[in-house]
Amino acid sequence: MLRAIALSLALLVGIGTIIPLATNYAEAGQKYKRHKKKREWNGVKKYSKRWWQLYRRQERRKKARAQSRRALRLRQIRLANARNTRENGDNYVRSNPRPNKTDSSTAVLPSGQSAPKDWKRGQMNGSEVQYQVESNNGSQIGSASIAVVGPALGGQSDTSRSKTVGGVATSSLRRTVIDKMVGEEGWVVNDFQKEIGGKNVYVVVAQSPGAGSVVQSRLFYFTEVDGKIYSVATNAPAGNSTKLEQESERVVNSLQHRNGSQQADLR
């Protein structure tokens, strides 16, 4: 009996000792973690002004590290590209020669004749061939284009000759110029017909604003060639209007008298 009582007392004392010790260790662990977290932020209260300052500083550092990594990667890519260019540069130039913009062979009219010396071949957009008009020093001052407006509608009688080109009413051709000028904030100055190379040609004179408040002279020539209505349009500063007129008439004459075996660029 005494032995049982002694064992019971020992168990009670042991349990009473173990429970407080376990509780203290558990609370000490939680306090240690909280203390460690506070130490990282220097005891700053969360979402306080100081906390936001530290948070933004941390974000800036993250962004700076990310930018440094991106910059390093970019430098590596550029160095690799430069190395490849040095190794393969000669082969690339030989296999991909650049077109010579000043090559006179590119400045050819649809008739096969040479374009005016200041006209340099540009792009071709559908049925329109474009040129760059350059000054004597080689700088671009304007543009020119040759296009097929549409099919001719028949011959011209003496009574309708002054009102049609290839059977197409000049009022319709003038309307196309007016629509173009409206889109470019320009205006039509005059229109008339004249004979070039023995054929009746309809001419529309217009103007439009250019860079630096310089007025641009616009000339539109319409003529019938092989059952098609061709348009020759030029655009350059008004001071070059006389030169443009001479060059445009030369181009119109070239279209009208092209060789039968010569295939035009336009369709």
Side-chain angles (χ1 to χ4, degrees):
M1 186 67 181
L2 293 174
R3 185 179 296 175
I5 294 172
L7 289 173
S8 299
L9 291 174
L11 289 173
L12 290 174
V13 172
I15 293 172
T17 304
I18 292 172
I19 291 175
L21 289 174
T23 303
N24 290 335
Y25 277 117
E27 292 179 353
Q30 293 178 358
K31 290 180 180 178
Y32 173 75
K33 291 180 181 178
R34 288 196 297 269
H35 179 66
K36 182 178 180 181
K37 183 177 181 181
K38 287 182 179 179
R39 241 184 347 188
E40 291 178 354
W41 290 91
N42 298 324
V44 177
K45 184 179 179 180
K46 192 173 183 180
Y47 301 129
S48 64
K49 182 177 180 181
R50 179 59 180 167
W51 187 90
W52 281 111
Q53 291 176 348
L54 295 173
Y55 175 78
R56 294 190 185 98
R57 182 186 301 173
Q58 175 181 286
E59 293 301 313
R60 286 195 296 268
R61 289 174 179 172
K62 290 181 180 178
K63 291 181 180 179
R65 288 194 294 269
Q67 289 177 355
S68 298
R69 288 193 294 268
R70 288 195 296 269
L72 177 61
R73 179 57 180 164
L74 181 60
R75 285 196 295 269
Q76 292 174 345
I77 293 174
R78 288 177 175 173
L79 289 174
N81 291 338
R83 183 169 57 252
N84 292 334
T85 301
R86 286 195 300 269
E87 293 174 355
N88 305 321
D90 294 340
N91 294 332
Y92 177 81
V93 171
R94 284 194 294 267
S95 61
N96 297 277
R98 293 184 178 180
N100 187 358
K101 295 182 178 180
T102 60
D103 187 359
S104 59
S105 63
T106 60
V108 177
L109 300 173
S111 62
Q113 299 183 15
S114 299
K117 65 177 183 179
D118 296 332
W119 290 26
K120 305 303 178 183
R121 184 68 177 266
Q123 298 178 351
M124 184 171 182
N125 184 13
S127 62
E128 181 182 55
V129 181
Q130 300 176 352
Y131 300 85
Q132 296 178 358
V133 179
E134 299 181 351
S135 62
N136 294 331
N137 58 12
S139 61
Q140 183 178 350
I141 60 174
S143 62
S145 64
I146 303 173
V148 175
V149 178
L153 302 180
Q156 301 179 132
S157 62
D158 293 337
T159 57
S160 63
R161 186 175 182 182
S162 61
K163 298 181 181 179
T164 62
V165 174
V168 178
T170 56
S171 59
S172 176
L173 300 175
R174 187 175 189 271
R175 172 54 57 184
T176 62
V177 178
I178 292 175
D179 293 341
K180 185 177 182 63
M181 288 299 98
V182 169
E184 299 180 12
E185 299 182 356
W187 57 93
V188 172
V189 177
N190 191 14
D191 67 309
F192 55 89
Q193 285 192 323
K194 67 184 300 183
E195 188 174 296
I196 300 177
K199 283 191 174 183
N200 207 35
V201 177
Y202 180 58
V203 185
V204 180
V205 182
Q207 292 181 344
S208 63
S213 301
V214 177
V215 177
Q216 297 290 105
S217 177
R218 313 292 295 270
L219 296 175
F220 299 85
Y221 287 77
F222 298 92
T223 184
E224 185 270 330
V225 179
D226 294 339
K228 297 178 182 178
I229 304 298
Y230 281 78
S231 168
V232 178
T234 55
N235 171 24
N240 297 331
S241 59
T242 302
K243 179 181 177 182
L244 278 179
E245 182 179 357
Q246 295 173 352
E247 293 178 347
S248 299
E249 292 184 4
R250 172 189 163 188
V251 173
V252 170
N253 188 66
S254 171
L255 292 173
Q256 293 174 346
H257 296 86
R258 65 190 180 92
N259 297 329
S261 59
Q262 175 66 42
Q263 295 294 324
D265 292 342
L266 306 181
R267 297 290 183 269

